[in-house]
Amino acid sequence: MSRPVTLFTGQWADLPLEKLAEKASAWGFDGLELACWGDHFEVDKALSDDAYVRAKRDLLARYNLTCFAISTHLVGQCVCDPIDARHKAILPPYVWGDGDPEGVRQRAAEEVKATARAASLFGVDIVNGFTGSSVWAKLYFFPPTSQADIDAGYQDFAQRWLPILDVFQAQGVKFALEVHPTEIAYDIYTAQRALEAVRHHPAFGFNFDPSHFIHQFIDPVFFIEAFPDRIFHMHVKDSRVQLNGRNSILSSHLDFGDARRGWDFVSPGRGDVKWDRIIRALNRIGYQGPLSIEWEDSGMDREWGAPEALRMVRSQDFAPSAVAFDAAFQRQ
Amino acid sequence: MSRPVTLFTGQWADLPLEKLAEKASAWGFDGLELACWGDHFEVDKALSDDAYVRAKRDLLARYNLTCFAISTHLVGQCVCDPIDARHKAILPPYVWGDGDPEGVRQRAAEEVKATARAASLFGVDIVNGFTGSSVWAKLYFFPPTSQADIDAGYQDFAQRWLPILDVFQAQGVKFALEVHPTEIAYDIYTAQRALEAVRHHPAFGFNFDPSHFIHQFIDPVFFIEAFPDRIFHMHVKDSRVQLNGRNSILSSHLDFGDARRGWDFVSPGRGDVKWDRIIRALNRIGYQGPLSIEWEDSGMDREWGAPEALRMVRSQDFAPSAVAFDAAFQRQ
Amino acid sequence: MSRPVTLFTGQWADLPLEKLAEKASAWGFDGLELACWGDHFEVDKALSDDAYVRAKRDLLARYNLTCFAISTHLVGQCVCDPIDARHKAILPPYVWGDGDPEGVRQRAAEEVKATARAASLFGVDIVNGFTGSSVWAKLYFFPPTSQADIDAGYQDFAQRWLPILDVFQAQGVKFALEVHPTEIAYDIYTAQRALEAVRHHPAFGFNFDPSHFIHQFIDPVFFIEAFPDRIFHMHVKDSRVQLNGRNSILSSHLDFGDARRGWDFVSPGRGDVKWDRIIRALNRIGYQGPLSIEWEDSGMDREWGAPEALRMVRSQDFAPSAVAFDAAFQRQ
Amino acid sequence: MSRPVTLFTGQWADLPLEKLAEKASAWGFDGLELACWGDHFEVDKALSDDAYVRAKRDLLARYNLTCFAISTHLVGQCVCDPIDARHKAILPPYVWGDGDPEGVRQRAAEEVKATARAASLFGVDIVNGFTGSSVWAKLYFFPPTSQADIDAGYQDFAQRWLPILDVFQAQGVKFALEVHPTEIAYDIYTAQRALEAVRHHPAFGFNFDPSHFIHQFIDPVFFIEAFPDRIFHMHVKDSRVQLNGRNSILSSHLDFGDARRGWDFVSPGRGDVKWDRIIRALNRIGYQGPLSIEWEDSGMDREWGAPEALRMVRSQDFAPSAVAFDAAFQRQ
Amino acid sequence: MSRPVTLFTGQWADLPLEKLAEKASAWGFDGLELACWGDHFEVDKALSDDAYVRAKRDLLARYNLTCFAISTHLVGQCVCDPIDARHKAILPPYVWGDGDPEGVRQRAAEEVKATARAASLFGVDIVNGFTGSSVWAKLYFFPPTSQADIDAGYQDFAQRWLPILDVFQAQGVKFALEVHPTEIAYDIYTAQRALEAVRHHPAFGFNFDPSHFIHQFIDPVFFIEAFPDRIFHMHVKDSRVQLNGRNSILSSHLDFGDARRGWDFVSPGRGDVKWDRIIRALNRIGYQGPLSIEWEDSGMDREWGAPEALRMVRSQDFAPSAVAFDAAFQRQ
Amino acid sequence: MSRPVTLFTGQWADLPLEKLAEKASAWGFDGLELACWGDHFEVDKALSDDAYVRAKRDLLARYNLTCFAISTHLVGQCVCDPIDARHKAILPPYVWGDGDPEGVRQRAAEEVKATARAASLFGVDIVNGFTGSSVWAKLYFFPPTSQADIDAGYQDFAQRWLPILDVFQAQGVKFALEVHPTEIAYDIYTAQRALEAVRHHPAFGFNFDPSHFIHQFIDPVFFIEAFPDRIFHMHVKDSRVQLNGRNSILSSHLDFGDARRGWDFVSPGRGDVKWDRIIRALNRIGYQGPLSIEWEDSGMDREWGAPEALRMVRSQDFAPSAVAFDAAFQRQ
């Protein structure tokens, strides 16, 4: 079938886009999924300056790269989160403003709406991102979090995101939540709850990233099968469980890359994700979008890893069977 | 060897102590670990009224029960926690006061000191409890929590608890933190960090409860071996992992007892804790304290479960070998 | 909670009912699930002779035993099966008749209707049984069985059983199919297909027997959760997988009890069924019927095994929790 | 060592042989294992027309392909099977005739003899195939199949096949049964029984195909070791177990490629067969025949899969060690 | 069936036999397997003093205990071993003599013959024991041990033991080698080699002890099935593998009971031996001898353990099935 | 990062060095680890003839190969071993001399010192090797080996090796013991004991070879983490566990390559070593030395295997990450 293979630029935002485009093109990627940070895709400039969008398009074309989606993980995170100092570093100053939590959340919501408009201008119909969550931090809590508290968290999510989703729909763009711990949906049951909270809004779906299910011990194939018409985009990212009786699956407040953690992200193909099964599941649901490599492995040089991951994906992206074998066995 | 088997009263605080003592005695328990809530052990009364402590002692004696430890999980939790509405329900009004977070934390700290004094009066030299944590909620966070943030959490813990521990030491009483997610220490590495934070204060150790390690995939025996001289007390409680490719180990914001959770507490002997190995490890380190059953199983009637757990513990609490087998093989 | 524990008499039909009742009573069973063969429960006599039913009731009462269900596995099997010589041995002569396959199937259908009437007379509202299947033998076939063939099998089942189920409903009796390889339903997906075939007829449900799922590698708990309102009765029977790289899960046309088989039935508690989880699932769906031991183990003396299995069941049949533990932690 | 790698043409019989030969040659195959259906190898034409055989040989030579074996799975199946409508589609009209079961079985037996003669003319000394079985459908049956029934099945097999095997021996050709569920032999124990039934006839052996053992949980290496001198040919085909607590290993009457099945065939190298161990075992028994890829994967495009499988086989087909390592450690 | 359950006295030889008999009887044992060391059974006295044997018999009768076998592990060990200082401690002075290795071996051989005579006098027809081995220490060796070296070891065994076995046969007594690392046979393949070395001498068989197979990862059931007519006696002893990525299965030259070992002996029922499967296998081969508990667990008090093990064995020693279940399903 | 990949010549000592160098160079190796046997590196000639060393260097240079280490496994083995006939075959005549054990051990010790001097002359600062052990053969012994015996073994090792290590230090060369069953250190705990025995001598460390840990069920990564500053060199060698319930992990005195063994060495990449994890661990400790392939697989042609192993190593030897991913997520 040969779906396009793209590289998500979020982990390379320390490089100017041109430099990254040159590398990605040389490695053989078909396109880039542009992060809305660094100089990769700046929403304010895209909306205020016609030339900006055109220049980005030209740059990509020069390197024979396509863009199928842009990503607003950082700003999206601030829409529902309890805001604190850590959020300042991930926001543009005009969104952070005076840092008052509710003001930040509202400006972030406006920025996500603006991102939908910028995507539309740029000719892209998928925006990936995070949503934040007012209840994530209360996941395992003592004194216990009541179900009423949890319900309130999903209502808060619905109230803040429904107006945003309406803007997306008006622009003909879809929002794909990367289902991920720290977000309003991080597994199958919370994804169901989130969908119900926004009453199955047509502009709301998922950026499927199997790596976030591995350390939860969820089979990513079940996620695909649970939401066949809501997989708007996907990330190729891998994770590995490394338990030995001493390491905790909660990972002990230790940084990624520390061998005492119970799990860690690794270069795609070196973790516990079974890619063959995922391709079969994507074939079953008819997913035709890009396979976008989000490369993150704290133990490997990224320039070794990205082309290795690309080769792995190419070796897996097969088409479904076109013949019925029983029929072949029959006489004509 | 026959260590005493006690019942922790925290999960039975809806019953008057007398009624519970009658049941526990009939089931065959050797003693009770009194919770500092309900009418089981009230710190303020113990300190203000000589007769209170005497009456408690008489009540236990009447039912042939001993008390080796009291427990202050609820108040202890409030010493380091970011305080919110949920904490009000677990505190006596005089500790909650006006609910101002820092005021609550300081009053809670004073109450824990008072608990040490009450324990001493009552003739008990172990107080089990929680510590709370200013960084627990930042366990898995986006934007990421920096190691500087984490370090600050352990400093906060040390500053608040060192003065408390000095009071304990002066009273000849020890504080045994129940190592538990939501607390400053929840696994082997964070327990090491907590011990270092309080500079191995002699009054600080652990209430070992294997159930909290099971869903972290930590072998509880390794915890015992890592801290042989800091196991001041232990809880017999059990947990079970119930993963099926759909359930998340994070448990999806679902209540205990919901079969879609990735793990759950179950009656001791019915979970994944291997009690035989734990008894051997306790024998190796020479632990002589009580085996205190903390009974919690959202799927089983507690009056069926508590005596069943007691029988299980009795069948496991064997003494170590007194002979060397090689010697027996030799001729005299 | 204490559900009644009964013994299914099918494997003891070589003994007169009175002798078996005496044994079962002495072992401590609460009742018997009577097989409609041997002298245990004869449908023709029950319908033709008032005294017969009374005498059975008296016999059971003498031994303090209750009957909650009768079982018509043998005749039920012949309703849909391709009939051959093996069926003669399991049928009463008046059902076998001249042995013409279609005639046998129709007489068997009439006899199952008669069984519903006899059950009603006897005061029992559950009849367990098999259905037979015209497509079981085509499970794994070469040349391949087409889906059209399979569909025809389910239609045949519906046509033959819908009239029977109507009689059951008229009598206020339910038919509980023992989901089992060789029957129209043998797993979760075929049980769904069977239910759909009879359009969710209210008189049609299942006799849940976990042993038949073990060697299919199906978790029996999922079956309970898939059909919470259709579990009309249950069998306590156990099975064990014994694979070693040489034994086939298909078991090589070898008899039960042969160690070269890939699986075998074993006395309840000695196999791979996890009874604690099954009791929790039954508690969740509110199943209040009997736990009926169907004892079959080709490697163990049945008189050793039946009372052992009874003790195992009694040790597992606990009630659900009556308190909320979080609440108990709060101060009143 | 480099055994030749061939492609079995059965799953490509919808293509004219010439077109398939062109593809196979381009992919790098060394030869083809011709199916006796489609236009690939027609027994009647081979025996009646000298030019036919010569033309086939020329066609293969044109593409630099060799033929080591031909395959008569379809006709062979009809020798022992209970014949029904499904068999008509897999037989040439002159074998099906009027469809009377016994007549079909006898004409199929004659056709298999004719195939031995055609193979001999074509210069090939192995004919792979199925045998059918009168007892396969009684594998797991209720009412139970007795051992006497099973014995009768093996006698029927012996009576029908011994005359055929004598013709093979006279022609200097061997018959290699593909051990496979639905056939008289489908595992180690039934293969032993089949061999004994034909009294170890020298013309009778096996076409070893590991894929049929995987879902039986049999280690294919044990099969090789059990019959070292009867492995006449082998198929490179793969299978994968996909159990999740809901899927049944019996696969619920569902078609290949359905994700709810408990197992499925997959492209060689993507399943559970451990090829390295199989090559070592083949080296130990001195098997020198072709490695013939039978490609079947209902989830993958066959033109992607066949060359991928070829590369996998080439990367595994290593020679045994020619030196003794201990000796190399010694001084000369 | 109820085989007798005996206690092997080797691990209790520090106690006088009378004291041990009193305990064993009180715990409910049926008999003792007397060790030929301590004062339990002294070969020289048995042969020289008629009263000795009678007194032993009377002592056992007083406590209602039977003796089915005596054991000469220590002397037997010295028949083939390279003798060094460690052997002195396990031999009577008249066997050790001047300690010259070959002299010790020959005197040990004579003592084993004497043991056969003493057993016969005592009325016991099984002597369990070790054989020693001249090649055990060369198991994994560098520079490598050649197969010629190994062959020489088995010849040495045969030469030394064949004359001993002839004495056994003349006395109507059998020698049961406890298959065990450090002996000439320690697994299935070496047991075959040992049997072949002594040309299947009728007086040579095995004392089956499953605990020695567990840490070799051998399924003890396969041993029973490999030598159905050579299982002369059995030990009920248990072992547990305790690997964690750091512990070596070779156990690092560490003493039993050290938690860093990769395996250890544990009280029967607490290890990895599956007793239910062993009883079934013993039932299949018709073993009717005693189940003799050899109790050894360096982490448990032996007086807690022995009666616990007895209860475990009693709960497992069931009889095989006496009915055919299929028959029970038929109508008479 | 690209560490150099070398080939250990020990298993190719039947070939003249020139011939091997030609092959290795053609396959793409970066260097050779020269064995001190065959004509590869002769210590006596190196010390007595200036031209010898120069000629070796020229030969390697001609094939563009580097040498980072030489290896003295054979002579080293004889320093502590109980000497017997097998040792004669692995020693040069001038070390074997008259074969008197103590004389051999002392001459071997002198030869190892000479090897340090020759290495220094040759410009190589690592000598890999074995140490032998006086207690290895007493690993699992009956009568039991006492801890006093074991202690004596480690003292013997220290006494014999400390003078040797002093010579190494004086020469600026390090001795890297290949941790291996049959040596004084064969796992983590015995390596600790060996290090303590030589009081952490700075010239003593390890040649890390993961293959020797696999069949001990030790995770090789734990070895790296236990001795981060003592990994002086490493071997890329692989091993595979092949247990099936019949094979013993002790491997039944059977030769390598026999399928009845419980484990065997296999070509790197085909065994149970997880190379990705090992590279990460080496990156963590900053190991910069060569990855030296010791190729040994009794079931594969070595000329197929060596280049295959080289490709495997190249595909795994990645550099650690140079960026922090969190930083990349932040805005500049």
Side-chain angles (χ1 to χ4, degrees), chain F residues 26-327:
Chain F
W27 289 329
F29 280 90
D30 299 313
L32 295 178
E33 173 195 346
L34 296 181
C36 295
W37 57 94
D39 79 337
H40 294 193
F41 191 86
E42 293 145 295
V43 168
D44 54 343
K45 295 187 185 162
L47 290 178
S48 60
D49 175 1
D50 281 3
Y52 181 85
V53 160
R54 211 176 323 115
K56 288 287 169 195
R57 268 202 225 108
D58 292 351
L59 187 163
L60 293 176
R62 240 177 1 258
Y63 292 101
N64 213 14
L65 296 167
T66 313
C67 179
F68 300 91
I70 60 173
S71 286
T72 183
H73 292 68
L74 305 186
V75 173
Q77 183 69 35
C78 300
V79 174
C80 290
D81 255 25
I83 301 297
D84 65 32
R86 292 164 305 108
H87 295 80
K88 187 174 184 182
I90 64 169
L91 286 177
Y94 63 89
V95 178
W96 176 255
D98 61 1
D100 168 71
E102 184 54 27
V104 171
R105 282 192 287 264
Q106 292 183 10
R107 282 186 297 277
E110 291 311 308
E111 179 77 357
V112 177
K113 292 177 190 165
T115 307
R117 287 183 207 106
S120 176
L121 272 179
F122 188 48
V124 153
D125 59 1
I126 301 284
V127 176
N128 299 312
F130 285 155
T131 57
S133 164
S134 63
V135 287
W136 164 254
K138 296 177 181 169
L139 175 67
Y140 187 6
F141 224 54
F142 187 83
T145 313
S146 68
Q147 281 301 309
D149 293 337
I150 304 300
D151 288 343
Y154 282 85
Q155 279 166 3
D156 175 75
F157 158 70
Q159 276 169 0
R160 293 182 188 276
W161 279 89
L162 279 168
I164 301 173
L165 295 171
D166 288 343
V167 172
F168 270 73
Q169 197 173 4
Q171 295 291 333
V173 178
K174 292 179 171 186
F175 180 77
L177 165 61
E178 184 165 328
V179 178
H180 180 292
T182 74
E183 307 310 313
I184 197 66
Y186 52 92
D187 63 11
I188 295 173
Y189 303 126
T190 52
Q192 286 171 334
R193 207 161 173 174
L195 260 174
E196 288 159 12
V198 296
R199 299 191 296 276
H200 295 80
H201 194 291
F204 182 72
F206 304 120
N207 178 35
F208 167 70
D209 182 335
S211 68
H212 306 305
F213 300 130
I214 293 302
H215 59 277
Q216 297 189 68
F217 299 91
I218 296 169
D219 182 346
V221 167
F222 288 148
F223 190 91
I224 298 173
E225 291 178 346
F227 306 106
D229 56 343
R230 297 280 168 164
I231 309 285
F232 293 167
H233 192 265
M234 87 159 284
H235 273 177
V236 172
K237 194 180 173 194
D238 214 335
S239 175
R240 180 197 282 173
V241 168
Q242 48 197 24
L243 297 167
N244 57 13
R246 280 178 176 78
N247 293 2
S248 163
I249 195 67
L250 299 177
S251 291
S252 316
H253 277 112
L254 297 164
D255 277 340
F256 290 107
D258 190 308
R260 293 170 300 162
R261 290 177 57 91
W263 66 273
D264 215 340
F265 291 120
V266 290
S267 185
R270 291 176 178 263
D272 297 341
V273 175
K274 293 177 166 54
W275 296 102
D276 173 293
R277 291 181 190 268
I278 283 177
I279 293 297
R280 287 172 197 265
L282 294 176
N283 285 349
R284 284 199 297 274
I285 66 165
Y287 175 78
Q288 298 284 349
L291 304 174
S292 190
I293 293 175
E294 181 183 5
W295 199 90
E296 189 173 324
D297 182 334
S298 295
M300 186 187 284
D301 178 45
R302 66 183 173 182
E303 307 216 358
W304 167 296
E308 180 190 86
L310 175 60
R311 287 191 301 274
M312 186 282 291
V313 172
R314 295 265 192 238
S315 76
Q316 290 292 344
D317 185 27
F318 53 81
S321 176
V323 296
F325 289 101
D326 294 348

Side-chain angles (χ1 to χ4, degrees), chain C residues 86 253 255, chain D residues 135 138-141 143-147 149-150, chain E residues 326:
Chain C
R86 292 165 304 108
H253 276 112
D255 277 338
Chain D
V135 287
K138 296 179 181 167
L139 174 67
Y140 187 5
F141 223 55
T145 314
S146 69
Q147 281 300 310
D149 293 337
I150 304 300
Chain E
D326 294 350

Side-chain angles (χ1 to χ4, degrees), chain B residues 27-84:
Chain B
W27 289 330
F29 280 90
D30 299 313
L32 296 178
E33 174 195 346
L34 296 181
C36 296
W37 56 94
D39 78 337
H40 294 193
F41 192 87
E42 293 144 293
V43 168
D44 53 344
K45 294 188 186 163
L47 290 178
S48 60
D49 176 1
D50 281 3
Y52 182 85
V53 159
R54 210 176 323 116
K56 288 287 171 193
R57 268 201 225 111
D58 292 349
L59 188 163
L60 292 176
R62 234 169 15 249
Y63 291 101
N64 215 14
L65 296 166
T66 313
C67 179
F68 300 90
I70 60 173
S71 286
T72 184
H73 292 68
L74 305 187
V75 173
Q77 182 69 35
C78 299
V79 174
C80 290
D81 255 25
I83 301 297
D84 64 31

Side-chain angles (χ1 to χ4, degrees), chain D:
Chain D
M1 187 146 57
S2 261
R3 296 174 186 88
V5 186
T6 56
L7 181 68
F8 174 47
T9 71
Q11 279 82 357
W12 312 73
D14 55 317
L15 300 181
L17 183 59
E18 172 117 32
K19 194 160 168 195
L20 177 58
E22 188 184 345
K23 286 176 189 281
S25 180
W27 289 330
F29 280 90
D30 299 314
L32 295 178
E33 172 196 347
L34 295 181
C36 295
W37 57 94
D39 78 337
H40 294 195
F41 191 87
E42 293 145 294
V43 168
D44 54 342
K45 296 188 185 161
L47 290 177
S48 61
D49 176 1
D50 281 2
Y52 181 85
V53 160
R54 210 176 325 116
K56 288 286 170 195
R57 270 203 224 107
D58 292 350
L59 188 163
L60 293 176
R62 232 167 20 248
Y63 292 101
N64 215 13
L65 295 167
T66 313
C67 179
F68 300 90
I70 61 173
S71 286
T72 183
H73 292 68
L74 305 187
V75 173
Q77 182 70 33
C78 300
V79 175
C80 289
D81 254 25
I83 301 296
D84 64 32
R86 291 164 305 110
H87 296 80
K88 187 174 184 183
I90 64 169
L91 286 177
Y94 63 89
V95 179
W96 177 256
D98 61 0
D100 168 70
E102 184 55 26
V104 172
R105 281 191 287 263
Q106 292 183 11
R107 282 187 296 276
E110 291 311 308
E111 178 77 356
V112 177
K113 292 177 191 166
T115 307
R117 286 183 207 105
S120 176
L121 272 180
F122 188 47
V124 153
D125 61 1
I126 302 284
V127 175
N128 298 313
F130 285 154
T131 57
S133 164
S134 64
V135 287
W136 164 255
K138 296 179 181 167
L139 174 67
Y140 187 5
F141 223 55
F142 188 83
T145 314
S146 69
Q147 281 300 310
D149 293 337
I150 304 300
D151 289 343
Y154 282 85
Q155 279 166 3
D156 175 74
F157 158 69
Q159 277 168 359
R160 292 181 188 276
W161 279 88
L162 278 169
I164 301 174
L165 295 171
D166 288 342
V167 172
F168 270 74
Q169 197 172 5
Q171 295 291 333
V173 178
K174 291 178 172 187
F175 180 76
L177 165 60
E178 184 165 329
V179 178
H180 180 293
T182 73
E183 305 311 312
I184 197 66
Y186 52 91
D187 63 12
I188 295 174
Y189 303 125
T190 52
Q192 286 170 336
R193 209 162 172 172
L195 259 173
E196 287 158 12
V198 295
R199 297 191 297 276
H200 295 81
H201 194 290
F204 182 71
F206 304 118
N207 178 36
F208 167 70
D209 182 336
S211 68
H212 305 305
F213 300 130
I214 293 301
H215 59 276
Q216 297 190 68
F217 299 91
I218 296 170
D219 182 345
V221 167
F222 288 147
F223 190 91
I224 297 173
E225 292 178 344
F227 307 106
D229 56 344
R230 297 281 168 164
I231 308 286
F232 293 167
H233 192 266
M234 86 160 283
H235 273 177
V236 172
K237 194 180 174 195
D238 214 335
S239 175
R240 180 197 282 173
V241 168
Q242 48 196 24
L243 297 169
N244 57 12
R246 280 178 176 79
N247 294 2
S248 163
I249 195 66
L250 299 177
S251 291
S252 316
H253 277 111
L254 297 164
D255 276 340
F256 290 106
D258 190 308
R260 293 171 299 162
R261 290 178 57 91
W263 67 274
D264 214 341
F265 291 121
V266 290
S267 185
R270 290 177 178 262
D272 297 340
V273 175
K274 293 179 167 51
W275 296 102
D276 175 292
R277 290 181 189 268
I278 284 177
I279 292 298
R280 287 171 198 267
L282 294 174
N283 285 350
R284 284 198 297 277
I285 67 165
Y287 174 78
Q288 299 284 349
L291 305 175
S292 191
I293 294 174
E294 181 184 4
W295 199 91
E296 188 173 325
D297 181 334
S298 296
M300 186 187 283
D301 177 45
R302 67 183 172 182
E303 307 218 357
W304 168 296
E308 180 189 86
L310 175 60
R311 286 192 302 274
M312 186 282 290
V313 172
R314 295 265 192 238
S315 76
Q316 291 291 344
D317 185 27
F318 53 81
S321 177
V323 296
F325 289 101
D326 294 349
F329 261 100
Q330 303 202 357
R331 313 187 68 88
Q332 53 288 62

Side-chain angles (χ1 to χ4, degrees), chain E residues 4-7 29-33 60-61 63-69:
Chain E
V5 185
T6 57
L7 181 68
F29 280 90
D30 299 314
L32 296 178
E33 173 195 347
L60 293 176
Y63 293 100
N64 215 15
L65 296 167
T66 312
C67 178
F68 300 90

Side-chain angles (χ1 to χ4, degrees), chain E:
Chain E
M1 186 148 56
S2 259
R3 295 175 187 88
V5 185
T6 57
L7 181 68
F8 173 46
T9 72
Q11 278 82 359
W12 311 73
D14 55 319
L15 299 182
L17 182 59
E18 172 117 31
K19 194 160 166 194
L20 177 59
E22 189 185 342
K23 284 176 190 283
S25 181
W27 288 329
F29 280 90
D30 299 314
L32 296 178
E33 173 195 347
L34 296 181
C36 295
W37 57 93
D39 77 338
H40 292 194
F41 191 87
E42 293 144 294
V43 167
D44 53 344
K45 295 187 186 162
L47 291 178
S48 61
D49 176 2
D50 281 3
Y52 182 85
V53 160
R54 211 177 323 116
K56 287 288 170 193
R57 269 201 224 110
D58 293 350
L59 188 163
L60 293 176
R62 237 173 7 255
Y63 293 100
N64 215 15
L65 296 167
T66 312
C67 178
F68 300 90
I70 60 174
S71 286
T72 184
H73 292 68
L74 305 188
V75 172
Q77 182 70 33
C78 299
V79 174
C80 289
D81 255 25
I83 301 297
D84 65 32
R86 291 164 305 107
H87 295 80
K88 187 175 183 182
I90 63 168
L91 285 178
Y94 64 87
V95 179
W96 176 256
D98 61 0
D100 168 71
E102 184 55 26
V104 170
R105 282 191 287 263
Q106 292 183 10
R107 282 187 297 276
E110 290 310 309
E111 179 76 357
V112 177
K113 292 177 191 166
T115 306
R117 287 184 206 106
S120 176
L121 272 180
F122 189 47
V124 153
D125 61 359
I126 302 284
V127 175
N128 298 313
F130 285 154
T131 57
S133 164
S134 63
V135 287
W136 164 255
K138 297 179 181 167
L139 175 68
Y140 187 5
F141 224 55
F142 188 83
T145 313
S146 68
Q147 280 302 308
D149 293 336
I150 303 300
D151 289 343
Y154 282 86
Q155 279 166 1
D156 175 74
F157 158 69
Q159 277 169 359
R160 293 182 188 275
W161 279 89
L162 277 169
I164 299 174
L165 295 171
D166 288 343
V167 173
F168 270 74
Q169 196 172 6
Q171 294 291 333
V173 178
K174 292 180 171 186
F175 181 76
L177 165 60
E178 184 166 328
V179 177
H180 180 292
T182 74
E183 306 311 312
I184 196 66
Y186 52 91
D187 63 11
I188 294 173
Y189 302 125
T190 53
Q192 287 170 335
R193 208 161 173 174
L195 259 174
E196 288 158 12
V198 295
R199 299 191 297 274
H200 296 81
H201 194 291
F204 182 72
F206 304 119
N207 177 38
F208 168 70
D209 182 336
S211 67
H212 306 305
F213 300 130
I214 293 300
H215 59 277
Q216 296 189 69
F217 299 91
I218 296 169
D219 183 345
V221 167
F222 287 148
F223 190 91
I224 297 173
E225 291 178 345
F227 307 105
D229 57 343
R230 296 281 167 164
I231 309 285
F232 293 168
H233 192 265
M234 87 159 284
H235 273 178
V236 172
K237 195 179 172 194
D238 213 335
S239 176
R240 181 196 281 173
V241 168
Q242 47 196 23
L243 297 167
N244 58 12
R246 281 177 175 81
N247 293 2
S248 164
I249 195 66
L250 299 177
S251 291
S252 315
H253 277 110
L254 296 166
D255 278 339
F256 290 106
D258 191 309
R260 294 170 298 163
R261 290 177 58 90
W263 66 274
D264 214 340
F265 292 120
V266 290
S267 185
R270 290 176 178 265
D272 296 342
V273 174
K274 293 178 168 53
W275 295 103
D276 175 293
R277 290 183 191 266
I278 284 178
I279 292 296
R280 287 171 198 267
L282 293 175
N283 285 349
R284 285 199 296 275
I285 67 165
Y287 174 78
Q288 299 285 348
L291 304 175
S292 191
I293 294 175
E294 181 184 5
W295 201 90
E296 191 174 323
D297 182 333
S298 295
M300 186 187 284
D301 178 44
R302 66 183 172 182
E303 307 217 358
W304 168 294
E308 178 190 88
L310 176 59
R311 287 192 300 275
M312 186 282 288
V313 172
R314 295 264 192 239
S315 76
Q316 291 290 346
D317 185 27
F318 53 81
S321 177
V323 296
F325 289 100
D326 294 350
F329 261 100
Q330 300 199 2
R331 314 187 65 88
Q332 46 291 61

